[in-house]
Amino acid sequence: MAKETQRRRAEMPDTEPGGSGRNLRGTGFGVSNATATRGNPCPATENMMGAVVERENMRKAYRRVVGNRGSAGVDGMGVEGLKPYLQEHWGRIRGELLEGRYAPQPVLRVEIPKPGGKGMRKLGIPTVVDRLIQQAMHQVLSPLFDPDFSETSYGFRPGRMAHQAIEKAKEYVAEGKRWVVDIDLEKFFDRVNHDVLMFRVARKVKDKRVLRLIRRYLRSGIMEGGVVSQPERGTPQGGPLSPLLSNIILDDLDKELDRRGHRYCRYADDCNIYVGSKRAGERVMKSISGFLERRLRLQVNREKSAVDRPWKRVFLGFSMTWDKVPRLRVAPSSVLRFKSNLKRAFRQGRGRNLSRFVEELKPVLRGWINYFQLSEVKSIFEELDGWIRRRLRCILWRQWKRPFRRAKNLMKRGLREEQSWRSATNGRGPWWNSGAAHMNLAFPKSFFDQLGLVSLLDHVLVVQRKP
């Protein structure tokens, strides 16, 4: 047996596949469950927990958790402390999981601003060890549930993304479904009924240890202000398992919509149903709201839900035009939110070197435009490009401070001496000067292109030209 164990360890890869070089030895997963490793049992069997703690599944979960980084939970341990902790304690944790005795630690309650300044969103941050276990469970449960989910459910599923939901919504409107029933679930993650959810999980999961652990995660406690409270309902938004659990409970909504033959798109708790008339939309709103409240015990937010034209509503940050064949566009609220986030960055960049500051802006701009590159209305990108360059010119004007330095720098950039002095002493503020002709001549678009500033319009034109 000792020789066999040594042979298996020798065959274990030292580094993460793909050449990242991350060392995976010594995480404590070298000893695998004999039952789980023998024949790769189907997760639907009563030994699902064996599949969860199986060596390769845990290694995959470890890579995912470490790669995602994330904040520390109530124990203060970050991902950098996970490997040494597992080296010492994984044997005990694994034994508790297999025996059904593992007790999760409480989640740490944090609040982040909602988009557009509409209050605060509550998140629950599990400890890094619990994130690891939840991720391992997700990897086993997802292949069991995902194949039966609806084709028009796009949130938190492998091979699916928000862009597909947006394109499908556009397709429905082009077909003539020019009214949308926009359903907003009030505090969805805080209101999930534990019994309703667990009944749906137990339809496919037969391992009582896994069911018991999921319920313990649902009721593991929330630490807020140093005090731990026990939730009677809700699933903490922030753990790897909560997106899958949300899809499991909302799958009943999808099945009901499919049964009725509706055209709809759902991304997590964002659900839009497309109909041919306002009257039909009001009828659907009433019946589906009743279904959600009676069957799933979820509350519909009447103030935020509406039956309206698609071009007057926002779905996943996008809206569309009112044309017969609609075109996608960035919703005005998404533009305002983007500018608000950038304003904070620009305030921090006033005393910074411009080249370094532009480098720090690159990932922010690329991330935003990569998401909104589906937009077919491009004028907003041109406007935003101009606004960003004006903000950068404003930083330069502030940094120059005195008229003599401003005139000198304008002359260095090729402006005539008379024009430079007249501009430097005009008595106007930084924002006015940043949009004036002298700063546009001194720092044209080509200057910022050379600095490496991401042009939103150029990026979209390149992407949309590709076959």
Side-chain angles (χ1 to χ4, degrees):
M1 287 294 292
K3 289 182 179 179
E4 177 67 13
T5 302
Q6 289 176 2
R7 183 185 66 78
R8 288 184 180 178
R9 287 181 177 173
E11 293 175 350
M12 287 163 53
D14 290 335
T15 57
E16 178 180 349
S20 69
R22 185 183 298 140
N23 196 321
L24 297 179
R25 271 195 196 277
T27 52
F29 304 138
V31 180
S32 58
N33 179 17
T35 305
T37 57
R38 195 176 299 143
N40 293 325
C42 174
T45 67
E46 293 186 359
N47 191 34
M48 182 180 286
M49 186 60 79
V52 171
V53 301
E54 193 270 330
R55 179 177 56 191
E56 291 306 319
N57 187 58
M58 292 304 304
R59 283 185 163 185
K60 182 180 176 183
Y62 175 83
R63 288 193 293 266
R64 186 68 178 267
V65 169
V66 172
N68 288 343
R69 311 270 327 153
S71 303
V74 294
D75 60 357
M77 183 172 69
V79 293
E80 65 282 348
L82 180 58
K83 183 175 179 179
Y85 184 85
L86 292 173
Q87 288 172 335
E88 184 177 354
H89 298 284
W90 173 244
R92 172 186 58 80
I93 295 171
R94 178 176 168 277
E96 290 177 358
L97 289 168
L98 289 172
E99 294 168 15
R101 296 186 294 105
Y102 181 79
Q105 295 191 62
V107 298
L108 179 65
R109 172 73 81 200
V110 296
E111 294 185 346
I112 62 172
K114 285 186 178 180
K118 300 175 182 178
M120 303 296 287
R121 174 175 286 121
K122 293 182 178 181
L123 297 181
I125 302 177
T127 64
V128 67
V129 173
D130 284 325
R131 291 207 297 271
L132 174 71
I133 296 169
Q134 285 193 36
Q135 180 61 39
M137 292 175 67
H138 183 281
Q139 291 164 186
V140 172
L141 292 171
S142 183
L144 186 64
F145 285 94
D146 191 80
D148 292 333
F149 287 157
S150 170
E151 285 296 313
T152 46
S153 167
Y154 297 94
F156 308 112
R157 296 181 61 192
R160 293 173 178 269
M161 60 187 72
H163 284 181
Q164 294 170 325
I166 295 158
E167 292 278 19
K168 180 59 74 172
K170 174 189 169 184
E171 181 183 315
Y172 290 149
V173 177
E175 289 174 358
K177 305 293 184 181
R178 296 174 69 83
W179 287 88
V180 61
V181 181
D182 188 351
I183 297 177
D184 183 275
L185 295 175
E186 186 173 0
K187 297 181 179 178
F188 168 71
F189 285 93
D190 294 333
R191 292 183 180 273
V192 171
N193 183 282
H194 292 172
D195 292 333
V196 172
L197 173 58
M198 291 307 302
F199 174 76
R200 281 149 180 80
V201 174
R203 288 171 178 170
K204 293 191 175 184
V205 176
K206 304 306 177 185
D207 191 329
K208 292 183 179 180
R209 296 168 299 178
V210 174
L211 294 172
R212 194 179 302 123
L213 183 56
I214 293 174
R215 187 175 282 276
R216 283 175 180 170
Y217 272 121
L218 293 174
R219 304 196 63 182
S220 59
I222 298 170
M223 179 175 284
E224 190 171 12
V227 178
V228 177
S229 59
Q230 296 294 330
E232 295 297 326
R233 60 182 180 178
T235 169
Q237 191 176 358
L241 206 52
S242 60
L244 176 61
L245 296 179
S246 70
N247 275 332
I248 290 172
I249 194 167
L250 288 174
D251 186 55
D252 276 30
L253 170 62
D254 297 341
K255 296 295 190 290
E256 180 67 13
L257 293 172
D258 288 335
R259 187 184 67 79
R260 299 185 186 189
H262 286 307
R263 301 286 190 269
Y264 71 96
C265 297
R266 184 177 66 79
Y267 190 94
D269 57 329
D270 287 331
C271 184
N272 277 7
I273 307 166
Y274 295 87
V275 295
S277 68
K278 184 176 182 180
R279 184 176 179 181
E282 290 171 345
R283 185 172 63 250
V284 170
M285 172 68 82
K286 182 178 179 180
S287 62
I288 293 300
S289 296
F291 172 84
L292 287 166
E293 291 169 358
R294 287 192 310 272
R295 286 280 298 276
L296 302 183
R297 301 185 192 179
L298 297 171
Q299 186 68 40
V300 175
N301 189 325
R302 309 288 180 179
E303 294 182 2
K304 294 183 180 179
S305 301
V307 177
D308 208 339
R309 296 292 194 178
W311 47 89
K312 294 182 180 179
R313 305 296 293 179
V314 179
F315 182 49
L316 302 178
F318 283 84
S319 187
M320 57 184 75
T321 64
W322 52 268
D323 304 286
K324 186 174 183 180
V325 179
R327 293 179 298 151
L328 295 173
R329 64 187 181 95
V330 184
S333 58
S334 299
V335 175
L336 289 174
R337 185 161 61 249
F338 180 57
K339 292 175 81 170
S340 176
N341 292 336
L342 285 180
K343 282 178 182 177
R344 287 195 292 270
F346 285 126
R347 281 195 292 269
Q348 295 169 358
R350 289 178 182 177
R352 309 278 300 281
N353 175 277
L354 193 67
S355 297
R356 292 176 187 169
F357 181 62
V358 166
E359 283 296 317
E360 293 178 9
L361 278 182
K362 278 184 182 180
V364 178
L365 299 178
R366 281 205 183 101
W368 192 85
I369 194 57
N370 281 337
Y371 182 76
F372 286 106
Q373 65 187 16
L374 285 184
S375 175
E376 298 161 284
V377 179
K378 301 178 181 62
S379 56
I380 188 59
F381 301 129
E382 187 174 9
E383 293 173 17
L384 282 171
D385 279 339
W387 181 81
I388 291 168
R389 290 194 294 269
R390 184 173 180 180
R391 282 279 173 182
L392 293 172
R393 295 185 189 108
C394 187
I395 288 175
L396 289 172
W397 190 262
R398 287 179 182 276
Q399 288 177 348
W400 294 344
K401 294 183 179 179
R402 300 180 184 278
F404 176 79
R405 190 179 176 191
R406 287 170 176 168
K408 182 180 177 181
N409 284 321
L410 288 173
M411 285 186 278
K412 279 184 180 179
R413 293 295 305 167
L415 270 66
R416 291 179 289 105
E417 182 177 359
E418 179 186 352
Q419 184 183 9
S420 298
W421 277 106
R422 188 169 63 249
S423 300
T425 57
N426 61 27
R428 300 275 192 166
W431 183 243
W432 187 92
N433 278 283
S434 65
H438 53 271
M439 286 297 282
N440 279 274
L441 289 171
F443 299 97
K445 180 180 181 296
S446 58
F447 169 82
F448 295 104
D449 289 341
Q450 290 173 2
L451 279 183
L453 180 67
V454 175
S455 169
L456 305 178
L457 179 61
D458 290 351
H459 180 92
V460 168
L461 291 176
V462 169
V463 169
Q464 295 187 356
R465 273 199 298 263
K466 291 180 180 178

